Amino acid sequence: MSQQDFQLSGFGSAAVHAGHEKDPRNAHVTPIYATSTYLFDTAEQGMRRFSGAEEGYIYSRWGNPTFTEAEQKIAALETFGLKMEAKGILHASGMAAIATLMLGVLKPGDKILTHYSLYGGTEELIHKVLTGVGITPIIADLRNPQLAEDALKTDPAIRMVYLETPANPTLQCVDLEVLIGLAKQYGKLVACDNTFATPYLQQPFKFGADFIVHSTTKFLNGHGTAIGGALIGRDIELMKTAVTKTHRLLGGNANPFDAFLLINGMKTLEVRMDRHCSNAQQVAEFLEGHQAVGRVNYTGLPSHPDFALAQKQMRAAGGMLSFELKDGFNAGVAFMNKLQMCLRTVSLGTCDTLLCHPPSMTHYSVPLEQREQYGITDGLIRMNVGIENIQDILADLEQALA
Ligand SMILES: *Cc1c(COP(=O)(O)O)cnc(C)c1O
């Protein structure tokens, strides 16, 4: 059996090995190809490259060997165990990947059907940029699939259904199987932001999604060392034509150093996620039993409205949770100030435990009535549970809550 024919049977093995191409100089780890352009051996070769008759690199906005490895690894993980192929395109950020998706696939007059609680940047992109080019959103509470069916049935201009699950800050989920099934029944495209779950915990392609987007900044990189994004598509032809064209012309390409950090971060995805999930479960249970804490939003708790749904479509509940301090805004500020090991910051997906208090930070300027619609009450704390030893995380929380 040749090395190419060896089938990796475990996700963790794929995370380590998938997407790798043997280096021509036998470097073990794929090098950082810090080059903007690539040489042609002859004028004829240049001609063949530009005409598409020969595959190969031309210019790093269009492609780069370090990007290729990251792209192939993400695509391999999102299709792991599924009988399908997909093509990934690495981007400078999650937002760049989402912009390529929207502008590469939709045209003026098209509508997007989506739900509340999208990532803030995505929501703003839809409302402030896409509406300007004639692409309009329909926002509905898609936790109720009947609302999706009503919209799909009555509005033929809907071209894409855009989902994000689980979503900020209450970890609300939408049903991938049901919503993608409905969208397909009406002939629509479906895209899913899989940033919070990662392909280890959830594979939207399994339910028939056409596109997956990631902020690789988060769990895929895993160490908080680089901003990045990926767009992965099931229709290889569409990915190679309209989507690649849009990506190259918008110029939201990745850079080789960040791609290198991402490749190496992704190798440990499975072991990191297992630890994130088991730590988060224990933190959620601890918080739920604490007298200073009201609601705990974690889909691994039976008290979460989407507990059963998360069990159906995810391997485990993930590393993110949020909770409400009973004593409100000032209690939130005091708690944040008392943290010793856990870190005060936004973002997520890192080995370190990160906490933020949205009412005094990201949502400080949003009026209370408005942010409460998103579940951002005065005492809400959002937590990325890291991979430290659980007793240290619990001890820090306990002393900060005291
Ligand atoms: C962070 C994030 C994004 C945006 O990604 P950037 O890399 O910051 O551009 C999109 N979706 C989700 C769910 C995110 O958490």
Side-chain angles (χ1 to χ4, degrees), residues 30-97:
T30 295
I32 300 167
Y33 279 85
T35 183
S36 53
T37 188
Y38 304 82
L39 306 178
F40 307 126
D41 291 332
T42 60
E44 288 78 9
Q45 186 184 43
M47 197 154 62
R48 289 195 301 276
R49 292 264 167 104
F50 273 99
S51 73
E54 179 182 302
E55 292 236 357
Y57 298 99
I58 296 175
Y59 185 59
S60 280
R61 173 155 49 78
W62 293 25
N64 170 294
T66 319
F67 304 171
T68 301
E69 169 141 350
E71 288 165 344
Q72 291 177 356
K73 196 185 282 295
I74 298 174
L77 298 181
E78 282 292 1
T79 58
F80 184 77
L82 311 178
K83 290 192 175 62
M84 62 172 285
E85 276 185 80
K87 178 172 167 56
I89 303 178
L90 202 62
H91 285 74
S93 66
M95 288 313 303

Side-chain angles (χ1 to χ4, degrees), residues 93-95 98 119 122 164 193 195-196 215 217-218 227-228 348:
S93 66
M95 288 313 303
I98 296 168
Y119 175 73
T122 310
E164 181 181 327
D193 184 329
T195 300
F196 270 39
S215 169
T217 312
K218 317 292 169 50
I227 301 285
L348 58 121

Side-chain angles (χ1 to χ4, degrees), residues 218 336 343-350 354-358 361-363 382 384:
K218 317 292 169 50
M336 292 298 293
L343 305 169
R344 282 175 290 273
T345 180
V346 294
S347 201
L348 58 121
T350 62
L354 314 178
L355 291 102
C356 76
H357 179 223
M361 297 174 181
T362 49
H363 291 71
R382 190 185 78 168
N384 165 68

Side-chain angles (χ1 to χ4, degrees), residues 17 81 135 139 187 225:
H17 294 288
I135 299 165
I139 319 264
T225 53

